Amino acid sequence: MTILNAINEIADVASLSRFESVYGTDDPNAQTMLSLAKEAGEEISRRADWRRMIKEFTVILSPTDLPEDFHRLIRGG
């Protein structure tokens, strides 16, 4: 899901017109939605100790042996 998709879903609920773009536009509603999305993202980032959710795992030859809770590799990982 992109930020534009998320903002357009919220625009539907708030009875606003959907946006073609939210970056680089003069539309005050788009600017407000983008600002609120940024604020929400910052709040989410503060709610968890994300470093504690990272696990180290050594894979030898077979990526099919990944643990069930594996989601993705992180940069530099």
Side-chain angles (χ1 to χ4, degrees):
M1 173 177 276
T2 66
I3 190 71
L4 181 60
N5 291 35
I7 287 175
N8 277 332
E9 285 188 24
I10 294 166
D12 292 343
V13 173
S15 298
L16 295 172
S17 298
R18 286 182 154 248
F19 303 99
E20 295 283 325
S21 174
V22 289
Y23 290 105
T25 181
D26 291 334
D27 184 337
N29 286 331
Q31 291 173 351
T32 299
M33 296 294 268
L34 192 56
S35 178
L36 291 171
K38 181 180 176 191
E39 187 177 322
E42 289 170 354
E43 174 64 25
I44 290 167
S45 74
R46 289 189 297 267
R47 288 185 177 213
D49 184 4
W50 297 102
R51 290 171 288 159
R52 290 186 60 200
M53 294 183 188
I54 296 173
K55 293 182 183 179
E56 287 188 27
F57 188 81
T58 303
V59 177
I60 300 178
L61 298 178
S62 176
T64 59
D65 295 333
L66 294 173
E68 274 188 40
D69 61 351
F70 176 78
H71 178 64
R72 64 183 168 89
L73 293 174
I74 59 171
R75 272 185 205 183

